[in-house]
């Protein structure tokens, strides 16, 4: 099955509204002839409506970096799936390692967030990945198994039709260290077979599995060339449109 690659930029807590609009506008211009890959950018919540307006009619999609799973209510400081959808987003990143590490995100809250996203028609990008100690202790596959099984507990293949999985080894995020081609190949193959075991062959075949962790213009082509890698989740290198476009156009 052919899966259209997704190159997604996670802007984390960078860029004010005007700065986000400026980068998004430049990127949209640079992407005008991009057809073979889907592009997504995830600015801060505050910038979502502004960026939505600036990329209207272009081939760039909008995503959020998180959501809160309740529909509405007295949850000071939180943002619901409905609000994100109404702001113009199509995707939402869920369970990023920085959220797990600094904000107490667990597989249980991740699971609820996936549900909230699916209910409003947002495409969830579920982030999973092992730490360096877990890798050293040869626990990579058991950690990933747990994150996927628990994060997606209770769902059927139909509900997960829009799911995107992002394998992001924690030790490779923002560190400049990239997983080796062999490490990425092994994990992506494992994740696809895990999806088949837990859900169905159809879901395993259709789900895009992204790699994330210090993706740069210099390594994008090699990483994207690996079987079972269907795109990238890019942090640092997505903040600069001129750099990011060279990842998006990894094939050129
Ligand atoms: C990320 O934030 O998801 C990420 C992969 O960051 P970086 O590309 O900077 O390693």
């Amino acid at each position: 099955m052919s899966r259209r690659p997704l190159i997604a930029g996670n802007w984390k807590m960078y860029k004010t509204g005007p700065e986000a609009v400026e980068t998004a506008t430049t990127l949209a211009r640079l992407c005008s002839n991009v057809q073979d890959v889907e592009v997504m950018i995830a600015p801060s919540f505050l910038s979502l409506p502004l960026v939505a307006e600036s990329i209207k009619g272009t081939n760039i999609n909008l995503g959020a970096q998180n959501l809160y799973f309740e529909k509405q209510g007295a949850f000071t400081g939180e943002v619901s799936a409905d609000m994100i959808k109404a702001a113009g987003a199509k995707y939402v990143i869920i369970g990023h390692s920085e959220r797990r590490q600094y904000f107490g995100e667990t597989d249980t809250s991740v699971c609820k967030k996936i549900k909230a996203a699916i209910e409003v028609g947002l495409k969830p990008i579920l982030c999973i990945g092992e730490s360096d100690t877990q890798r050293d202790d040869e626990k990579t596959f058991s950690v990933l198994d747990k994150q996927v099984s628990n994060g997606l507990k209770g769902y059927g293949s139909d509900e997960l039709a829009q799911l995107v999985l992002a394998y992001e080894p924690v030790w490779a995020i923002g560190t400049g260290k990239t997983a080796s081609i062999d490490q990425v190949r092994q994990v992506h193959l494992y994740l696809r077979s895990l999806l088949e075991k837990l859900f169905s062959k159809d879901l395993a075949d259709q789900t895009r599995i992204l790699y994330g962790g210090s993706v740069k213009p210099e390594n994008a082509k090699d990483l994207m060339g690996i079987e079972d890698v269907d795109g990238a989740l890019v942090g640092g290198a997505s903040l600069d449109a001129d750099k990011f476009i060279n990842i998006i156009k990894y094939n050129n």
Side-chain angles (χ1 to χ4, degrees):
M1 167 175 289
S2 83
R3 296 174 292 266
R4 189 165 180 233
L6 171 65
I7 306 288
N10 172 15
W11 287 358
K12 312 194 186 197
M13 199 175 73
Y14 291 101
K15 298 186 189 291
T16 60
E19 287 165 353
V21 165
E22 191 185 334
T23 309
T25 308
T26 309
L27 189 66
R29 185 170 41 75
L30 297 172
C31 278
S32 59
N33 58 356
V34 171
Q35 281 171 350
D36 47 348
V37 306
E38 193 180 348
V39 180
M40 186 276 270
I41 47 176
S44 81
F45 286 137
L46 279 178
S47 299
L48 284 175
L50 299 169
V51 172
E53 192 56 35
S54 69
I55 58 175
K56 208 178 248 172
T58 72
N59 52 8
I60 300 193
N61 295 292
L62 191 63
Q65 301 172 18
N66 180 32
L67 57 71
Y68 188 55
F69 51 75
E70 292 290 352
K71 283 202 165 309
Q72 60 177 13
F75 303 107
T76 303
E78 294 297 327
V79 176
S80 74
D82 263 331
M83 293 170 184
I84 290 168
K85 184 92 193 292
K90 193 165 154 188
Y91 286 92
V92 58
I93 298 170
I94 293 178
H96 190 280
S97 69
E98 286 151 16
R99 297 223 49 91
R100 295 179 192 254
Q101 199 175 342
Y102 306 128
F103 302 101
E105 193 91 277
T106 62
D107 290 336
T108 309
S109 57
V110 161
C111 189
K112 291 182 184 170
K113 290 180 178 199
I114 297 275
K115 180 165 188 268
I118 293 170
E119 273 177 2
V120 302
L122 282 171
K123 299 182 186 205
I125 303 181
L126 168 59
C127 300
I128 53 171
E130 82 286 0
S131 67
D132 47 359
T133 13
Q134 289 166 334
R135 179 162 279 273
D136 291 346
D137 293 346
E138 299 185 357
K139 290 193 177 133
T140 298
F141 295 112
S142 61
V143 166
L144 296 171
D145 189 319
K146 194 167 142 288
Q147 288 174 334
V148 174
S149 321
N150 294 341
L152 300 177
K153 201 182 225 146
Y155 301 111
S157 292
D158 289 353
E159 290 157 295
L160 298 177
Q162 302 299 328
L163 174 77
V164 177
L165 213 51
Y167 169 56
E168 300 206 297
V170 179
W171 48 272
I173 298 181
T175 58
K177 281 190 224 163
T178 314
S180 72
I181 300 292
D182 267 354
Q183 287 170 330
V184 177
R185 183 185 293 115
Q186 272 183 9
V187 169
H188 280 237
L189 182 65
Y190 174 78
L191 291 173
R192 202 166 305 282
S193 52
L194 183 61
L195 287 176
E196 180 171 346
K197 187 179 92 181
L198 295 174
F199 301 101
S200 66
K201 173 144 179 39
D202 280 354
L203 190 79
D205 282 345
Q206 81 189 40
T207 303
R208 289 177 292 181
I209 308 177
L210 315 184
Y211 168 77
S214 299
V215 177
K216 315 177 252 267
E218 301 79 46
N219 59 22
K221 192 177 166 100
D222 287 345
L223 288 164
M224 296 308 111
I226 302 171
E227 210 184 329
D228 288 310
V229 172
D230 310 306
L233 182 52
V234 186
S238 71
L239 293 168
D240 177 341
D242 292 314
K243 229 184 209 178
F244 195 33
I245 191 66
N246 286 313
I247 297 177
I248 293 166
K249 294 190 174 177
Y250 63 87
N251 244 341
N252 299 12

